[in-house]
Amino acid sequence: MPTTNTSGRRKTAVARIYLTEGSGAIIVNGKDYKEYFPTLPLQYIVTQSTEVSGSAGLYDVKANVAGVGEKGKAQAVRLAIAKAIVELDADK
């Protein structure tokens, strides 16, 4: 499977992600997403797209995020992941 790259925006935050087949690792700005987003609600927002689509643990995500506000950044990553999953399989 080739790499799928998409972007997501929320308020002033912009996320660019690269989605590949893998084990479910999510890296945000060079750090694990649990380290980058330390609170559980933000971690849930980031993983929500994979959980809802039933593809949790199937893809590795590398994200570059810029902007202001932690919640906006998490929501931008969520949107970018959702767009990539839909691009791979429109039924999800």
Side-chain angles (χ1 to χ4, degrees), residues 8-52:
R9 299 174 142 230
R10 173 72 175 126
K11 295 186 177 182
T12 61
V14 179
R16 292 176 307 278
I17 67 138
Y18 303 92
L19 188 103
T20 57
E21 267 187 47
S23 61
I26 301 175
I27 307 297
V28 179
N29 289 351
K31 298 179 183 179
D32 184 59
Y33 80 100
K34 290 181 180 178
E35 185 179 343
Y36 193 82
F37 298 111
T39 64
L40 289 176
L42 293 177
Q43 292 172 13
Y44 174 72
I45 289 171
V46 170
T47 60
Q48 194 172 16
S49 296
T50 58
E51 296 291 333
V52 170

Side-chain angles (χ1 to χ4, degrees), residues 62-81:
K62 291 183 182 176
N64 296 319
V65 184
V68 179
E70 296 302 312
K71 188 171 183 180
K73 289 179 186 178
Q75 291 171 342
V77 172
R78 174 180 64 186
L79 176 61
I81 292 171

